[in-house]
Amino acid sequence: MTNELPIFDNDDRARYEFRDNAQAVFQTRKGLDEEIVREISKAKNEPEWMLEFRLEALGAFFEHHQPRFGPSLEDIDFQDFTYFTRVSDKVSQSWDDVPEDVKNTFEKLGIPEAERKYLSGVSAHYESEAVYGNMLKEVEEKGVIFTDTDTGLREYPELFRKYFGTLVPIRDNKYSALNGAVWSGGSFIYVPKGVKLEMPLQAYFRINNKKSGQFERSLIIVDDDAELNYVEGCTAPMYSEESLHSGVIEIFVGKRAKMRYTTIQNWSNSVLNLVTQRAVVDDDGLMEWVDGNIGSKTCMKYPCCVLKGTRSHGSVNSVAVAGPGQFQDTGAKMIHLGRGSTSSIISKSISRGGGTSNFRGKIYIAPDAAGSRANEQCDTLILDGISFSDTVPNNKVDNSTSYLEHEASVSKISEDQLYYLMSRGVSRDEATQMILMGFLQPFSNELPMEYAVELNRLISFDITAGQQ
């Protein structure tokens, strides 16, 4: 996202949903088969083991059934998408070297300004691949690796292969298999032992074409006693035809390490957003997911922490806003394997205009995870009589020394609160906005100030637009 704080009017959604004229330098034909997968791997000049990985994943994809929960995905025609588009022959380290149309896109979104003012490093991805990547010299001198995943495979093969595909295996689900077959781009990050980054690293993802796909594969390793804050944003134009986003994120948090992964998902309402995000946490480590979901036609995303270490901790703080034609099926997973591990899930969602926002969660405390604690809180506001929300927890404790707390609420805006504010001269619309922003405050508080203000304005626009 950007530090430039937008004030939305009725036309200001164009800031994110404009369409670009960037020309592809290479593109596969529509459809998905072995020939396409081989063509992608050849275009990237990959080692033989990665081609074998892709082909195995392709077979798993065709064998896998669609998810039997949440929104129906049965109407997706996988042969009607373009799976690889390259708009630049290289990943530029100088902004001046980025193709002009692509550069103009990210200038409009404020990426260069955000880099100058706020970030330790930034990576910009357009369609299938990264087009720009840069990092502060003092961060690089600490031994931090921050590059795109394709470059990570090429330049750090031993480190890359040690972790790649070990946390989210090919056969985990249909869309992890699809990603394994056609993945391209994403972030590859390694933070060495004891290195603590004070400013965040950021990646920004842009889909421009209709009936195309983006399949980034991010791999992040935060070694023992290290700390990292990573921020991710994404946008796409609005089309009458769907685009497909199916990313996979694997994060490894070392002993006593701290990792925060913040996503501001603002895809247009013509994007299917089907993502697998998973982290494994070692002894005394901390993993925090901060997950904002505003856009997309259909979103299925459940950030997961595998708490394998003793006293490891995981948290998910999420918000979802579902408007007309949107189905937000989001949530979190916490798998407690280590003794004394702890977890926290806080979910806030808003449904309006016939939209659906579901919370889907899973907490499992294993027999050997003695003395573990888990807390889950899910709150939903439904703004009208035609919108929907469900809470679907799946919780299990397999030992007698741990405990799990679950709390859920579904409500409407309180007429008493509205009356109180209006009696003091606040209009009904303003009072509604104040109540909604207060409802979402636990999430906004977890964001840096610049991002919190922009997120609030995005949500404010989204809601007020639906009331006009």
Side-chain angles (χ1 to χ4, degrees):
M1 302 298 284
T2 167
N3 283 15
E4 188 73 27
L5 301 180
I7 299 176
F8 285 100
D9 56 32
N10 290 345
D11 300 319
D12 224 7
R13 176 64 73 178
R15 170 177 178 152
Y16 297 96
E17 292 188 350
F18 60 86
R19 303 173 188 181
D20 316 315
N21 297 314
Q23 299 298 310
V25 298
F26 175 76
Q27 189 174 45
T28 57
R29 61 172 169 79
K30 280 189 176 183
L32 182 61
D33 54 30
E34 182 175 327
E35 181 184 2
I36 292 291
V37 171
R38 288 184 178 275
E39 190 175 359
I40 292 172
S41 189
K42 182 179 179 180
K44 293 176 173 294
N45 195 27
E46 293 177 338
E48 186 66 24
W49 75 264
M50 182 55 73
L51 174 59
E52 293 173 359
F53 179 93
R54 290 182 181 276
L55 293 175
E56 182 183 350
L58 180 67
F61 167 75
F62 285 122
E63 293 170 5
H64 248 297
H65 57 72
Q66 290 281 18
R68 294 193 173 101
F69 57 86
S72 174
L73 304 175
E74 296 298 333
D75 291 337
I76 298 177
D77 181 359
F78 292 101
Q79 300 304 327
D80 199 29
F81 291 97
T82 301
Y83 287 88
F84 183 78
T85 302
R86 174 179 285 165
V87 296
S88 178
D89 288 323
K90 63 180 180 179
V91 181
S92 302
Q93 292 184 319
S94 170
W95 193 247
D96 294 335
D97 294 336
V98 176
E100 197 65 29
D101 288 330
V102 177
K103 182 165 62 178
N104 289 340
T105 295
F106 288 109
E107 291 279 5
K108 291 177 184 178
L109 295 168
I111 301 306
E113 180 178 0
E115 177 190 6
R116 290 191 294 269
K117 288 185 176 180
Y118 183 66
L119 302 170
S120 294
V122 65
S123 178
H125 296 70
Y126 194 99
E127 302 295 15
S128 297
E129 293 184 317
V131 295
Y132 173 75
N134 203 1
M135 185 166 54
L136 294 179
K137 183 178 180 181
E138 54 265 37
V139 175
E140 191 173 3
E141 288 175 347
K142 293 180 178 180
V144 175
I145 299 170
F146 177 39
T147 186
D148 62 282
T149 312
D150 296 288
T151 301
L153 169 62
R154 184 170 57 252
E155 297 186 0
Y156 307 95
E158 292 184 7
L159 179 64
F160 186 97
R161 193 169 184 178
K162 177 181 178 182
Y163 291 96
F164 183 84
T166 60
L167 187 53
V168 180
I170 287 171
R171 299 183 182 278
D172 187 83
N173 62 76
K174 189 173 184 67
Y175 291 93
S176 68
L178 175 62
N179 179 279
V182 298
W183 76 268
S184 184
S187 294
F188 179 70
I189 302 174
Y190 172 71
V191 185
K193 291 183 178 181
V195 173
K196 300 178 180 181
L197 297 185
E198 296 180 0
M199 295 189 296
L201 302 177
Q202 172 172 304
Y204 206 94
F205 296 87
R206 174 76 175 177
I207 296 175
N208 184 57
N209 292 333
K210 61 183 178 181
K211 301 303 289 186
S212 66
Q214 190 173 81
F215 307 94
E216 82 275 5
R217 184 92 185 203
S218 291
L219 180 58
I220 301 174
I221 305 110
V222 186
D223 216 329
D224 297 349
D225 300 297
E227 295 183 11
L228 172 64
N229 186 354
Y230 175 84
V231 182
E232 176 187 274
C234 44
T235 64
M238 184 64 186
Y239 288 106
S240 59
E241 297 178 284
E242 297 166 346
S243 293
L244 178 60
H245 174 251
S246 183
V248 169
I249 293 90
E250 297 177 293
I251 301 178
F252 298 82
V253 182
K255 296 177 180 178
R256 300 169 300 279
K258 296 180 180 179
M259 169 69 196
R260 171 172 284 204
Y261 189 107
T262 301
T263 304
I264 307 297
Q265 182 268 110
N266 187 31
W267 295 121
S268 72
N269 287 6
S270 56
V271 173
L272 305 175
N273 187 47
L274 311 168
V275 181
T276 305
Q277 300 178 322
R278 190 168 301 156
V280 61
V281 190
D282 214 328
D283 296 349
D284 297 297
L286 169 64
M287 177 67 208
E288 298 175 315
W289 297 97
V290 182
D291 191 39
N293 298 291
I294 306 166
S296 73
K297 176 182 179 180
T298 300
C299 180
M300 298 180 73
K301 191 202 305 184
Y302 321 98
C304 174
C305 293
V306 180
L307 303 171
K308 77 166 189 176
T310 302
R311 297 176 302 277
S312 54
H313 179 74
S315 72
V316 175
N317 196 323
S318 68
V319 62
V321 179
Q326 286 184 281
F327 198 132
Q328 302 273 13
D329 199 83
T330 61
K333 297 180 181 180
M334 294 291 173
I335 311 300
H336 292 254
L337 304 179
R339 295 173 61 88
S341 54
T342 56
S343 68
S344 171
I345 297 172
I346 299 176
S347 170
K348 301 281 187 177
S349 61
I350 297 172
S351 298
R352 65 163 185 88
T356 298
S357 60
N358 288 349
F359 171 84
R360 192 176 303 277
K362 177 178 181 178
I363 300 175
Y364 174 64
I365 302 179
D368 292 337
S372 296
R373 305 184 307 277
N375 180 272
E376 184 177 55
Q377 180 180 336
C378 319
D379 299 309
T380 298
L381 278 179
I382 299 180
L383 303 189
D384 51 49
I386 59 173
S387 302
F388 303 89
S389 179
D390 281 321
T391 299
V392 189
N394 178 8
N395 300 330
K396 184 178 182 182
V397 180
D398 266 349
N399 69 67
S400 60
T401 62
S402 300
Y403 70 86
L404 186 155
E405 298 174 325
H406 171 78
E407 176 184 348
S409 69
V410 179
S411 59
K412 297 181 178 181
I413 292 179
S414 166
E415 290 295 330
D416 290 341
Q417 290 178 328
L418 286 174
Y419 176 79
Y420 176 84
L421 292 170
M422 293 169 64
S423 69
R424 280 150 178 80
V426 179
S427 71
R428 187 179 185 89
D429 285 347
E430 291 173 329
T432 301
Q433 289 298 322
M434 292 172 66
I435 293 170
L436 292 178
M437 292 306 105
F439 174 74
L440 297 175
Q441 189 173 9
F443 177 82
S444 299
N445 285 347
E446 297 301 315
L447 300 174
M449 179 60 70
E450 294 87 349
Y451 295 87
V453 173
E454 182 163 356
L455 180 75
N456 285 348
R457 287 180 172 172
L458 275 170
I459 293 172
S460 175
F461 168 80
D462 195 60
I463 294 168
T464 56
Q467 295 174 339
Q468 294 171 352

